[in-house]
Amino acid sequence: MDARKFLQFLVLSFSVALVLFITWFHLPSLPNNDSLLDCNIFSGWCISKNRFGSSTKPNLIKKTPSSTNNNHKHEYDVPHHPLDPLTINEFNKVRTILSTHSLFKSSSTYTLNSVVLEEPDKKLVLEWKKGDSLLPRKASVIACLKGVSHALTVDLTTNQVISHETSLVSGYPVMTMDEMQGVLEVPFRNLEFNRSIAQRGVDMAEIACLPISSGWYGTPVEENRRLIKVQCYSKKGTVNFYMKPIEGLTVLVDMDRKEVISISDNGLNIPMAKGIDTDYRYSIQKLNGELRLFNPISLEQPEGPSFKIDGNLVKWANWEFHLKPDPRAGIIISQAKVQDPETSELRNVIYKGFTSELFVPYMDPTDGWYFKTYMDAGEYGFGLQAMPLDPLNDCPRNAYYMDGVFASADGTPYLQSNMICVFESYAGDIAWRHSECPITDLKVTEVRPKVTLVVRMAAAVANYDYIMDWEFQTDGLIRAKVGLSGILMVKGTTYDNMNQVPNQEYLYGTLLSENIIGIIHDHYVTYYLDMDIDGSDNSFVKVNIKKQETSEGESPRKSYLKAVRNVAKTERDAQIKLSLYDPSEFHVINPSKKTRLGNPAGYKLVPGATAASLLDHEDPPQKRAAFTNNQIWVTPYNKSEQWAGGLFAYQSQGDDTLQVWSNRDRPIENKDIVLWYTIGFHHIPSQEDYPIMPTVSSSFDLKPANFFERNPILRVPPNFNEDLPVCKARDST
Ligand SMILES: *[C@@H]1O[C@H](CO)[C@@H](O)[C@H](O)[C@H]1NC(C)=O
Ligand SMILES: *[C@@H]1O[C@H](CO)[C@@H](O)[C@H](O)[C@H]1NC(C)=O
């Protein structure tokens, strides 16, 4: 080949390579077997504009959905809305102001357990409108000094601490990540602990330990100090160390002095579980051959998502709300408003909604287990435990990600990246439908697809994972959903088969694998729902469904059901235990806002599958978690009553719970009220929960009830084939 020919050849091969490369670049979304698809790839239908960032519409969403949010420079964040979380600048300012305060100047050892925005008074926030100057910014600080909890308010305009109180109630603040980590090394400074590990033949280098909140039981050792229990596992041969407990070895640690107080060691006869096949990672599982059960799947939005996120303000379809990450609650939804299709007016539904507290009691009263009665929000910080979401798998490809900016123990801000995702969900469900059957001679079929907006977070509180969703529907319904996955907390045992177990009741659970018992436990998730239906003054109405017997000769029927409305006057009227045989609907109404027909505008709380705590009310964990004594409560709005297990839930004694507040029996009729609802789960583990649990979920709904004049989504169009991003499976037509 001469030089010229060689050059031609080069150019040609390069062009071919380029074409191949471009083609390949446009193809990755297609499955290998493209004959299944009727899909014009070059018209771009299959190519999500989000993914390639070529949206033609102006779009406030800066991030491509399948990437992370890491390019966002939080250093330059400025607050735009009175409820916007503290910015990096503001966190740094708080630190500077505190460093000159007498409390911190004189002490070298203090911990900032919480630094968050002190939300302005509700009245001021409600009056604030876009374009108004921002309300004065304040920070609410909780600090721990020499075992005393301090609550301070820092004014970021005057650069001063404007209030300072020490706690009058029992308990301690949420632990910091540093504190949780710091206690884990303490057992290793103890010879007795080391000896016990050696005696069990466990390799010191392969130990993983957990900080376990110790609850409160009223014993002298618990007085005036913060305690934590440490239990350990072997991670030899698996990342799923939870399945290899070093059973019976519990170290009681003084959290502040970082000292071992005592060691309880009674499981020497229990063999270490082998942990075979417990690793759940894809990289390990695929070695045994993949189990491909379905073709690749994804929701495409060729015109981009239909929501807009401006700072912390989310606008989608007929909804608008403020969304922010919180170290304790996880997600806070504020000022959720829905548009009325008749008037186009944005109408208030919720002023503020969040997960207030969790309660997770294990049902094993023995030495190494009785204290496991977690309150995950108030002890560990539900938001602090919210791990970065995994794009494509935690949230679909069309998701937007939001970071949390939180303060570490010394007040320095840090990033909790990809903590929350927001996406539109289309599960193939139906929003409403009707078709006429042929006997009426009317040819009518009208169906509307259901698309919703989901706000999601996943908190991994050590072994357990909580998937927390707020889902907004166009018909005005809001669904709060809890999904439970992750790994069971298991107990080591000598048994390796049920035929060795004399009495199953005293296993406290289910034998899941050789030498492993999944212990029975409950989960309770309590929601704070400050409902503001068309304004703050609302009433709570129990619409009781009662059997009415007919009188003699009145009707061929003997009985029917009627609805009896009872407006709750005081808090006790709204302490509700659910019952199938005494059913009610639970409405929050605005008594001064009526529909055209005279019904009060309202929303109803619709419970889903749930469970009630059956523990003795005097059992110490139940006293601390007395907010689970009822499924529903209503309290008058009070800025200081937000955390159902108390502001200081760690080692609390139950003197600052929702039960205590509600027992004041204050008036709640036609007042600014807060609705509380608890989702509960009883969990008797089964073998399928091993080595990692398929998600179990439950939810409740807030559903319009005479809020709109009629079905609010009558005018929504159906799907038309020509509007859709194609990729239609040929064999489905
Ligand atoms: C316990 O073992 C660890 C790890 O081998 C070691 O670093 C530590 O010094 C030991 N503690 C005592 C008190 O001997
Ligand atoms: C508000 O809540 C705090 C804490 O429970 C309580 O001390 C105070 O009395 C409450 N105020 C009213 C008006 O109920």
Side-chain angles (χ1 to χ4, degrees):
M1 208 184 283
D2 67 29
R4 225 185 68 209
K5 273 202 173 144
F6 182 63
L7 205 67
Q8 269 177 354
F9 173 71
L10 257 189
V11 169
L12 193 71
S13 1
F14 181 71
S15 316
V16 168
L18 194 68
V19 167
L20 282 174
F21 176 74
I22 290 169
T23 313
W24 171 80
F25 187 73
H26 281 81
L27 282 171
S29 69
L30 300 179
N32 297 336
N33 188 354
D34 60 359
S35 67
L36 274 176
L37 291 156
D38 174 18
C39 186
N40 184 349
I41 51 170
F42 296 110
S43 75
W45 270 120
C46 270
I47 297 159
S48 156
K49 282 179 188 159
N50 301 323
R51 194 151 34 105
F52 292 96
S54 61
S55 174
T56 48
K57 283 185 185 171
N59 201 336
L60 284 164
I61 301 149
K62 294 188 200 82
K63 299 315 304 159
T64 55
S66 57
S67 82
T68 61
N69 204 13
N70 288 338
N71 304 339
H72 182 100
K73 291 278 179 285
H74 289 278
E75 290 81 349
Y76 307 120
D77 283 352
V78 279
H80 293 291
H81 185 282
L83 298 176
D84 281 356
L86 294 178
T87 62
I88 288 187
N89 273 333
E90 290 174 323
F91 278 115
N92 288 331
K93 215 164 161 191
V94 171
R95 268 185 87 210
T96 313
I97 298 166
L98 290 182
S99 66
T100 59
H101 188 267
S102 56
L103 189 63
F104 301 96
K105 244 190 345 204
S106 56
S107 175
S108 58
T109 55
Y110 64 84
T111 309
L112 301 184
N113 296 73
S114 164
V115 183
V116 292
L117 174 80
E118 165 117 357
E119 291 188 0
D121 282 345
K122 182 171 171 181
K123 188 173 163 290
L124 300 176
V125 177
L126 288 171
E127 282 164 5
W128 187 88
K129 286 182 304 298
K130 196 177 170 170
D132 291 357
S133 61
L134 205 61
L135 297 169
R137 300 280 288 173
K138 292 176 193 160
S140 159
V141 176
I142 290 172
C144 215
L145 269 97
K146 302 194 181 87
V148 180
S149 309
H150 300 258
L152 304 103
T153 305
V154 178
D155 189 320
L156 291 165
T157 317
T158 61
N159 294 348
Q160 274 175 343
V161 173
I162 54 170
S163 81
H164 174 202
E165 285 166 30
T166 51
S167 165
L168 297 174
V169 290
S170 66
Y172 299 104
V174 178
M175 287 182 279
T176 65
M177 293 302 271
D178 291 355
E179 285 171 339
M180 289 177 227
Q181 242 151 37
V183 296
L184 296 183
E185 60 206 41
V186 177
F188 295 90
R189 292 188 218 128
N190 185 289
L191 207 54
E192 199 189 326
F193 174 81
N194 275 16
R195 275 209 202 106
S196 180
I197 297 289
Q199 252 179 309
R200 292 162 192 256
V202 178
D203 186 348
M204 264 292 176
E206 305 258 25
I207 291 184
C209 299
L210 292 181
I212 302 177
S213 56
S214 53
W216 176 80
Y217 294 88
T219 61
V221 72
E222 295 170 284
E223 272 170 40
N224 300 320
R225 53 178 166 191
R226 282 201 301 164
L227 298 177
I228 192 147
K229 290 186 173 175
V230 179
Q231 290 186 337
C232 303
Y233 300 79
S234 165
K235 56 184 181 198
K236 199 179 178 76
T238 178
V239 289
N240 196 347
F241 59 85
Y242 300 102
M243 293 303 142
K244 301 184 73 167
I246 300 173
E247 195 55 50
L249 181 61
T250 308
V251 185
L252 179 64
V253 173
D254 183 316
M255 210 193 296
D256 292 303
R257 292 162 165 268
K258 294 210 166 66
E259 277 172 12
V260 171
I261 296 170
S262 61
I263 293 183
S264 146
D265 187 5
N266 51 27
L268 277 173
N269 61 320
I270 298 173
M272 176 70 65
K274 301 219 166 42
I276 295 164
D277 278 343
T278 55
D279 204 314
Y280 46 86
R281 286 174 297 175
Y282 177 61
S283 55
I284 302 296
Q285 286 301 320
K286 75 175 174 192
L287 301 177
N288 302 325
E290 284 187 354
L291 185 62
R292 280 231 170 228
L293 299 177
F294 52 85
N295 289 335
I297 189 163
S298 161
L299 172 72
E300 299 302 319
Q301 295 184 294
E303 292 177 48
S306 338
F307 59 86
K308 284 190 159 68
I309 300 185
D310 184 2
N312 291 82
L313 213 58
V314 182
K315 291 181 186 177
W316 171 76
N318 44 359
W319 282 101
E320 181 180 314
F321 57 91
H322 187 274
L323 166 66
K324 73 175 158 191
D326 181 79
R328 182 163 178 172
I331 292 173
I332 296 181
I333 301 282
S334 301
Q335 295 196 289
K337 299 172 192 176
V338 66
Q339 192 172 41
D340 192 307
E342 320 277 326
T343 60
S344 299
E345 172 202 8
L346 272 174
R347 295 171 63 188
N348 289 313
V349 179
I350 301 182
Y351 179 72
K352 188 174 182 182
F354 61 92
T355 309
S356 174
E357 192 53 277
L358 289 91
F359 177 44
V360 189
Y362 281 73
M363 303 301 171
D364 179 339
T366 61
D367 184 65
W369 280 80
Y370 74 91
F371 54 88
K372 294 179 183 176
T373 55
Y374 308 96
M375 283 162 54
D376 288 323
E379 293 178 338
Y380 292 89
F382 211 35
L384 294 179
Q385 311 302 329
M387 298 296 133
L389 293 161
D390 180 28
L392 296 189
N393 294 298
D394 268 326
C395 315
R397 184 155 61 179
N398 55 344
Y400 167 89
Y401 293 86
M402 188 181 272
D403 301 330
V405 180
F406 298 150
S408 52
D410 67 354
T412 339
Y414 70 93
L415 208 63
Q416 195 94 327
S417 63
N418 284 10
M419 177 183 158
I420 296 174
C421 72
V422 181
F423 60 91
E424 281 167 287
S425 169
Y426 172 55
D429 289 336
I430 295 165
W432 61 262
R433 84 174 311 286
H434 180 66
S435 45
E436 271 304 318
C437 82
I439 53 167
T440 62
D441 207 25
L442 283 167
K443 288 197 175 47
V444 177
T445 296
E446 290 288 334
V447 192
R448 300 295 180 272
K450 181 189 240 173
V451 177
T452 64
L453 186 79
V454 178
V455 175
R456 175 171 296 167
M457 168 194 103
V461 193
N463 54 313
Y464 248 101
D465 293 59
Y466 293 86
I467 304 149
M468 308 298 291
D469 285 2
W470 286 88
E471 184 171 17
F472 295 81
Q473 291 188 186
T474 51
D475 61 2
L477 183 142
I478 300 173
R479 176 165 295 168
K481 185 163 141 192
V482 180
L484 303 173
S485 187
I487 298 161
L488 281 173
M489 191 154 256
V490 302
K491 183 179 185 176
T493 174
T494 54
Y495 302 127
D496 57 28
N497 192 288
M498 282 306 290
N499 62 21
Q500 302 155 348
V501 180
N503 187 342
Q504 195 174 350
E505 275 181 36
Y506 295 104
L507 262 193
Y508 310 113
T510 309
L511 196 62
L512 297 181
S513 176
E514 288 77 8
N515 308 109
I516 292 280
I517 300 166
I519 300 294
I520 298 168
H521 57 279
D522 287 350
H523 296 267
Y524 298 97
V525 184
T526 299
Y527 286 81
Y528 172 102
L529 303 159
D530 180 358
M531 304 298 290
D532 270 18
I533 306 296
D534 278 328
S536 292
D537 288 345
N538 287 174
S539 293
F540 179 72
V541 185
K542 211 170 121 177
V543 184
N544 200 207
I545 297 161
K546 286 261 181 231
K547 180 174 84 174
Q548 176 70 50
E549 284 168 10
T550 54
S551 47
E552 193 68 39
E554 182 188 347
S555 161
R557 287 276 297 274
K558 277 199 179 327
S559 61
Y560 63 98
L561 301 187
K562 63 177 182 183
V564 181
R565 296 170 66 87
N566 294 299
V567 179
K569 305 279 181 213
T570 63
E571 289 177 282
R572 278 188 205 270
D573 296 338
Q575 296 183 350
I576 289 162
K577 292 182 171 64
L578 299 177
S579 160
L580 276 183
Y581 288 93
D582 180 19
S584 290
E585 284 196 355
F586 310 101
H587 294 218
V588 174
I589 59 156
N590 185 330
S592 43
K593 178 77 196 287
K594 301 256 162 69
T595 61
R596 179 170 53 84
L597 303 175
N599 289 308
Y603 255 71
K604 64 180 174 186
L605 169 80
V606 188
T610 191
S613 180
L614 303 177
L615 296 178
D616 195 300
H617 280 199
E618 291 306 310
D619 198 348
Q622 188 61 36
K623 236 174 144 163
R624 302 176 61 225
F627 52 90
T628 60
N629 288 346
N630 296 300
Q631 286 75 57
I632 297 173
W633 314 70
V634 177
T635 56
Y637 174 82
N638 179 334
K639 204 175 176 177
S640 7
E641 294 177 351
Q642 297 204 42
W643 306 107
L647 178 61
F648 299 108
Y650 200 95
Q651 257 172 276
S652 63
Q653 300 174 14
D655 49 349
D656 185 28
T657 65
L658 176 53
Q659 172 85 69
V660 172
W661 313 332
S662 169
N663 281 353
R664 293 188 187 129
D665 207 20
R666 294 161 288 190
I668 52 170
E669 187 181 1
N670 202 6
K671 292 234 176 320
D672 190 0
I673 53 175
V674 176
L675 176 67
W676 304 76
Y677 180 69
T678 299
I679 298 182
F681 300 83
H682 295 303
H683 189 177
I684 303 172
S686 65
Q687 281 188 244
E688 293 81 359
D689 293 334
Y690 176 92
I692 189 162
M693 290 176 282
T695 307
V696 167
S697 47
S698 188
S699 61
F700 69 89
D701 293 343
L702 296 168
K703 186 177 192 300
N706 303 320
F707 183 81
F708 296 111
E709 293 292 347
R710 58 181 63 77
N711 179 345
I713 46 170
L714 267 186
R715 296 181 349 236
V716 170
N719 272 339
F720 294 103
N721 209 27
E722 56 271 29
D723 291 343
L724 298 179
V726 178
C727 294
K728 183 177 58 177
R730 257 195 202 132
D731 50 3
S732 74
T733 52

